[in-house]
Amino acid sequence: MKETLTAVFEKSPYGYIGYVEELTGANTQGRTLEETKRNLTDAVELVIQANRQLAQEEITQKTNIITENIGSIAV
């Protein structure tokens, strides 16, 4: 499975702002466009890790749950 995410970058007086349209919470800023792109990659990873942890905490409180890896998503 391969998913494509859309990164949006906006020029600001202080550098750049970046966010991912499809992933709420994945946003960042940087002095240069390159720095903002690197920061956004880190933000995406952190959001996914946080969402995974929250889901796992909720799942452990339930019974009759099946979890399964659906494959890698290239970001």
Side-chain angles (χ1 to χ4, degrees):
M1 176 180 191
K2 201 171 219 183
E3 182 66 37
T4 301
L5 301 176
T6 307
V8 178
F9 300 99
E10 297 179 27
K11 181 82 170 107
S12 79
Y14 306 103
Y16 289 87
I17 298 166
Y19 60 92
V20 174
E21 287 183 343
E22 301 87 356
L23 190 58
T24 302
N27 48 59
T28 191
Q29 61 187 26
R31 285 178 277 163
T32 65
L33 182 57
E34 293 74 25
E35 179 183 12
T36 307
K37 288 179 180 182
R38 287 191 306 271
N39 292 346
L40 189 57
T41 299
D42 293 342
V44 167
E45 291 174 3
L46 290 171
V47 167
I48 291 172
Q49 287 174 3
N51 287 345
R52 182 178 291 125
Q53 181 178 352
L54 289 171
Q56 288 173 346
E57 289 171 5
E58 184 177 323
I59 286 171
T60 58
Q61 297 174 10
K62 297 180 179 182
T63 59
N64 299 322
I65 298 293
I66 299 169
T67 61
E68 185 175 312
N69 187 336
I70 60 170
S72 298
I73 297 177
V75 179

